[in-house]
Amino acid sequence: MSATFTPRLTEERELLCQPLSRPDIEIVVPVYNEERVLAQSIHRLHRFLGRHLPFAWRIVIADNASSDLTPEIGQQLTDRLPDVAYLRLDQKGRGRALRAAWSRSQARVVAYMDVDLSTDLRALLPLVAPLLSGHSQLAIGSRLSRGARVTRGRKREFISRSYNRLLRLVLRARFSDAQCGFKAVRRDVVADLLLAIRDQAWFFDTELLVNAQRAGLRIHEVPVDWIEDPDSRVDIVSTALADLRGMARLVAAARPARFLAIGILSTLAYALLFALLAGVVGASAANALALTVTAIANTAANRRFTFGLWGRRGALRQFLAGGLVYVLTLGLTTGALDLLHRIDPMASRGWQLAVLILSSLAATVTRYFGYSAWAFRRRDNRSGFGAGGLGQPRPRRA
């Protein structure tokens, strides 16, 4: 993928705009083959921002591989309008365009809106103000919040409400409208969010919000007035199928799923170690040794992959807390083993192993809540990210 900003105007005009080289707000307008409406929409947006937005701003046209006259029009707009930039990508994907533009931005807040400007622009200031003030990390326009006024067909209305209801049911989403093309994010959290997002197309929005919610970020909702674009070329069927695949992927990547996978591997390793050691040191000692080894590995794996905590910051406290959770687990399994011996002093190794596995699985539930509520609970939630953010591996620094 290649992407380059086209220089705006002349070197002299660029020099005059130096105070806006790091604007407060950068608004990205992703486009694909929008030659019919691009110029009109950008002129309209530019006039509105100049008249009504009391912050330093810039517009970025993010062109994801248009094959019509969109590139030429985008270049012309940068020549004619100050504080407008054009970004060209050679691959399609609205999410890809937003990722490229947002990752290059130096603005305090990055935002985007659809090129058809279906959302009333008067909602822009209420959208970005909570982010600039530090109240929230993300803000979204919502067509489903109380106070919103929406004009669209029954089919689109049904699909939108069904999709967002499904998000609440399957992913426990606490936001009302995932797909409204009117969002803003603070730059101090956008890099971690982009690292966690895999989708490059329409599911980008949903993944952005789900990951933000999982990281504990505050999402501000603004009811918007929205009028459907009759010329919308979104393929509803293919987009819906892609969204369902994305939802399935997020369910699989959820924290409980990762914890369960690590728990299964730990239980298998524990059973193997117990079987190898029981004949050498006895059942009780084998239980303690196997559980100690697997508990240390389990704590390290969950710290990194389930709870997204990397590096040394807080590691000692977290491992000590994890150790206390381990003691509880040891008590549950040892108690279960003692109870078996009281019932049947001659219980076979197979029965011992079965009881220990069952009690270990029961203790896994306790361990998860102990990890979540105490051992790996992030103490600083101002940005919502720990050392590694979002439960995703962060690239190591040199």
Side-chain angles (χ1 to χ4, degrees), residues 33-45:
N33 287 349
E34 298 290 355
E35 62 180 8
R36 188 182 62 84
V37 300
L38 178 59
Q40 178 183 358
S41 293
I42 296 300
H43 276 284
R44 178 185 163 196
L45 175 60

Side-chain angles (χ1 to χ4, degrees), residues 39-364:
Q40 178 183 358
S41 293
I42 296 300
H43 276 284
R44 178 185 163 196
L45 175 60
H46 194 274
R47 286 195 302 270
F48 178 88
L49 296 176
R51 294 173 182 173
H52 301 290
L53 201 67
F55 303 103
W57 52 266
R58 177 187 292 135
I59 300 170
V60 177
I61 303 167
D63 179 4
N64 51 129
S66 291
S67 57
D68 62 358
L69 294 178
T70 295
E72 289 80 358
I73 297 172
Q75 297 274 2
Q76 293 170 7
L77 289 168
T78 65
D79 292 336
R80 295 174 183 173
L81 298 175
D83 307 311
V84 174
Y86 173 76
L87 175 65
R88 168 74 179 183
L89 286 79
D90 58 14
Q91 291 179 281
K92 286 182 61 176
R94 185 182 70 161
R96 179 177 283 109
L98 291 175
R99 181 191 300 275
W102 283 358
S103 62
R104 288 161 171 75
S105 178
Q106 294 299 311
R108 293 169 59 196
V109 170
V110 292
Y112 96 88
M113 60 181 62
D114 292 335
V115 70
D116 57 20
L117 303 185
S118 294
T119 304
D120 191 326
L121 293 175
R122 288 175 295 180
L124 183 60
L125 184 56
L127 186 81
V128 300
L131 308 189
L132 291 169
S133 70
H135 174 272
S136 304
Q137 286 87 27
L138 282 84
I140 64 173
S142 175
R143 298 162 295 185
L144 302 176
S145 291
R146 181 175 299 178
R149 291 187 293 183
V150 177
T151 302
R152 61 177 165 185
R154 292 181 179 179
K155 181 180 178 181
R156 292 283 295 271
E157 180 76 8
F158 173 78
I159 292 174
S160 177
R161 290 187 178 274
S162 298
Y163 178 71
N164 284 285
R165 189 176 297 274
L166 190 62
L167 287 178
R168 290 193 291 273
L169 178 65
V170 175
L171 295 174
R172 298 183 179 180
R174 295 191 295 272
F175 44 86
S176 66
D177 190 353
Q179 294 288 29
C180 182
F182 200 73
K183 294 182 174 67
V185 189
R186 265 186 16 203
R187 188 171 64 88
D188 60 346
V189 301
V190 76
D192 284 288
L193 286 170
L194 292 176
L195 280 175
I197 298 173
R198 290 174 51 185
D199 192 81
Q200 304 284 16
W202 295 98
F203 192 69
F204 178 95
D205 291 56
T206 300
E207 196 164 359
L208 171 77
L209 294 175
V210 170
N211 284 324
Q213 178 180 297
R214 288 177 176 175
L217 302 186
R218 177 175 286 182
I219 301 174
H220 178 73
E221 294 199 10
V222 178
V224 298
D225 296 346
W226 190 88
I227 300 176
E228 181 180 6
D229 178 15
D231 190 42
S232 176
R233 285 162 285 173
V234 177
D235 188 330
I236 295 178
V237 175
S238 63
T239 301
L241 292 175
D243 286 345
L244 291 175
R245 289 194 296 270
M247 289 174 62
R249 173 168 54 80
L250 289 183
V251 169
R255 179 179 289 179
R258 293 195 297 269
F259 181 85
L260 179 61
I262 293 172
I264 291 173
L265 292 176
S266 298
T267 301
L268 292 175
Y270 164 79
L272 178 61
L273 285 173
F274 177 83
L276 292 174
L277 295 172
V280 179
V281 298
S284 296
N287 172 50
L289 288 172
L291 196 56
T292 300
V293 172
T294 54
I296 293 173
N298 180 282
T299 300
N302 277 301
R303 179 178 185 268
R304 175 170 296 186
F305 299 111
T306 301
F307 296 90
L309 299 172
W310 290 64
R312 298 178 180 178
R313 182 182 177 184
L316 179 60
R317 176 187 66 81
Q318 292 154 5
F319 271 93
L320 288 175
L324 292 179
V325 176
Y326 151 74
V327 170
L328 176 60
T329 304
L330 179 63
L332 287 172
T333 54
T334 302
L337 190 63
D338 288 343
L339 180 61
L340 174 65
H341 286 160
R342 289 177 182 272
I343 296 173
D344 184 2
M346 303 301 294
S348 67
R349 189 175 301 171
W351 272 107
Q352 295 175 9
L353 185 59
V355 167
L356 287 174
I357 290 176
L358 288 174
S359 60
S360 180
L361 289 174
T364 296

